Amino acid sequence: MSAANDIVESRRSWLRRDSANPSGLNVVGDVPPDLANNLDEDGSLVTVDPADWIVCFVPGLRWQWWHRFVHHRHKHVFAMRPTGTGSWLLVEPWWSRMMVTILPPADAVRFLRWGATGDILRVREAVPGKASQIRGWSNCAVLSAFLLGRPSWAWTPHGLYRQLRREKSTRCENVQRLLVDQFTKVVSQYSSNALSVGADQLSLPLRELLIIIGRNLLETMMTPSLLEVCYTAILEADRYPDATRAYAQHGPSPAIAVLTKILARAKQAGEVNFADCEAGARRFLGMLHGNVHLEAVLQLSEIRTLSEIDLRARTAVKVFLDGAGSNETPCRREGP
């Protein structure tokens, strides 16, 4: 489940509240009665459905004296969860604190590669959980079991690994499959939003329709989270080619398909006369991209403003339909 879905589900949780809660419920201290009366059946202020965690059992990055006493591949354990924007939620128990942070996709791949040196499991968390706080020494295995809501008495990462493997719902994972799944979901969502065209817009003249689609595509391309996914797809093309292909398949390919259909309809209506509408769609998408998208991915320039995006879309459509002329309006500012 993504972080966006978590928020949506929590907002819907009021529908599942227990309406039988008495208004005169006793509360502790200065807690407002409306908060105490709004608890769900598990005693929580919000209701969140169980989510899958990617649990990584890994060897150590640096030698520690206690490594000789634990499994050679399972010396540490941490957990991650993908979000709907391409980033990952990381929960890693350290000696000195619990590190909980959001990782951009490129940094998340580094942790996943570390996970690939050991074993990666997909585990569904237990809600409300059956873990206990009376465990004493809280090492990484104990804290990870608590995160998952498991009533575990395992003291080592390997012990927790064996316990989770015995559960029927646990599934082994690999890095490439995880990246393919996430890239597919994230890019498909952004792409469908950018290419969604209403029936009233389809009836517009070709020039106006292309401006709308071009502007939507440029705004989507310049979304920071999608730029990070694109950067990761390029960076990891050699190691995880299937993930890079998934990005291309669900990103540029749908845009080319939609533009091809629009140009084919315009050709039938006599608005354009392309010998190959798909080639025309590729040319138009390339004109929209230019160097602007690459510069944004590589962080060589600032992300364009909405007014600059609109100007670029209009100029690209003008040059695409009318050809370049001496009165062409500049559509981009100079790069670094």
Side-chain angles (χ1 to χ4, degrees):
M1 179 182 293
S2 69
N5 289 335
D6 289 347
I7 296 174
V8 171
E9 290 300 322
S10 66
R11 288 175 178 170
R12 294 174 180 169
S13 63
W14 64 273
L15 294 172
R16 302 194 292 268
R17 296 292 172 183
D18 185 3
S19 59
N21 275 344
S23 59
L25 182 66
N26 292 329
V27 296
V28 179
D30 297 326
V31 177
D34 63 298
L35 291 181
N37 295 341
N38 199 39
L39 298 179
D40 67 3
E41 58 185 4
D42 299 322
S44 175
L45 284 173
V46 296
T47 301
V48 180
D49 292 333
D52 286 347
W53 285 92
I54 306 303
V55 186
C56 301
F57 299 85
V58 296
L61 295 175
R62 291 182 178 179
W63 172 254
Q64 303 287 341
W65 63 268
W66 47 266
H67 281 177
R68 69 189 70 182
F69 303 110
V70 294
H71 191 272
H72 67 286
R73 293 179 63 194
H74 299 161
K75 301 184 186 302
H76 179 55
V77 57
F78 60 90
M80 304 175 67
R81 274 176 56 185
T83 73
T85 61
S87 58
W88 289 71
L89 172 63
L90 171 70
V91 178
E92 185 184 9
W94 285 10
W95 277 108
S96 54
R97 71 181 181 99
M98 175 77 80
M99 183 173 71
V100 181
T101 187
I102 298 293
L103 297 176
D107 289 342
V109 170
R110 297 166 66 186
F111 277 87
L112 291 174
R113 288 177 57 200
W114 185 18
T117 62
D119 290 283
I120 303 176
L121 300 181
R122 179 185 292 271
V123 182
R124 175 61 61 94
E125 66 181 353
V127 176
K130 298 180 180 180
S132 174
Q133 295 185 14
I134 51 174
R135 284 295 310 274
W137 182 33
S138 296
N139 63 1
C140 60
V142 175
L143 293 173
S144 296
F146 192 76
L147 171 70
L148 299 171
R150 295 303 194 272
S152 172
W153 288 97
W155 291 102
T156 65
H158 186 62
L160 179 61
Y161 170 81
R162 291 191 301 172
Q163 175 186 339
L164 296 176
R165 281 301 305 268
R166 289 193 292 265
E167 298 180 5
K168 294 182 179 180
S169 60
T170 298
R171 195 173 78 200
C172 295
E173 288 285 1
N174 63 67
V175 179
Q176 181 142 263
R177 185 165 57 217
L178 289 170
L179 294 180
V180 168
D181 290 345
Q182 191 191 30
F183 285 5
T184 299
K185 292 177 182 178
V186 173
V187 179
S188 296
Q189 178 182 355
Y190 278 112
S191 180
S192 64
N193 292 338
L195 296 172
S196 59
V197 180
D200 56 335
Q201 293 176 327
L202 286 175
S203 61
L204 293 173
L206 177 62
R207 185 180 300 271
E208 295 182 29
L209 180 57
L210 288 180
I211 290 174
I212 293 173
I213 294 180
R215 186 167 51 228
N216 291 343
L217 286 173
L218 281 172
E219 288 182 14
T220 301
M221 284 185 241
M222 296 301 169
T223 304
S225 56
L226 196 57
L227 289 174
E228 291 175 350
V229 171
C230 179
Y231 173 76
T232 306
I234 296 173
L235 188 66
E236 302 296 338
D238 288 338
R239 266 190 293 261
Y240 308 111
D242 288 351
T244 304
R245 279 191 288 269
Y247 172 84
Q249 180 181 355
H250 298 280
S253 295
I256 292 172
V258 170
L259 289 171
T260 300
K261 291 181 180 179
I262 291 174
L263 293 179
R265 287 184 53 191
K267 181 178 180 180
Q268 291 178 351
E271 295 184 76
V272 292
N273 186 24
F274 290 120
D276 188 341
C277 291
E278 181 179 345
R282 293 181 182 276
R283 284 196 298 271
F284 177 65
L285 192 61
M287 293 170 66
L288 281 175
H289 276 221
N291 290 332
V292 174
H293 183 242
L294 181 61
E295 290 174 0
V297 170
L298 300 180
Q299 298 182 1
L300 297 177
S301 64
E302 296 180 359
I303 297 177
R304 266 45 181 182
T305 63
L306 292 179
S307 60
E308 290 174 322
I309 288 175
D310 178 74
L311 178 59
R312 184 176 184 87
R314 292 178 181 277
T315 305
V317 171
K318 178 183 182 302
V319 176
F320 177 67
L321 295 180
D322 303 337
S326 58
N327 61 342
E328 178 185 347
T329 304
C331 62
R332 63 182 295 273
R333 59 187 177 214
E334 290 299 323

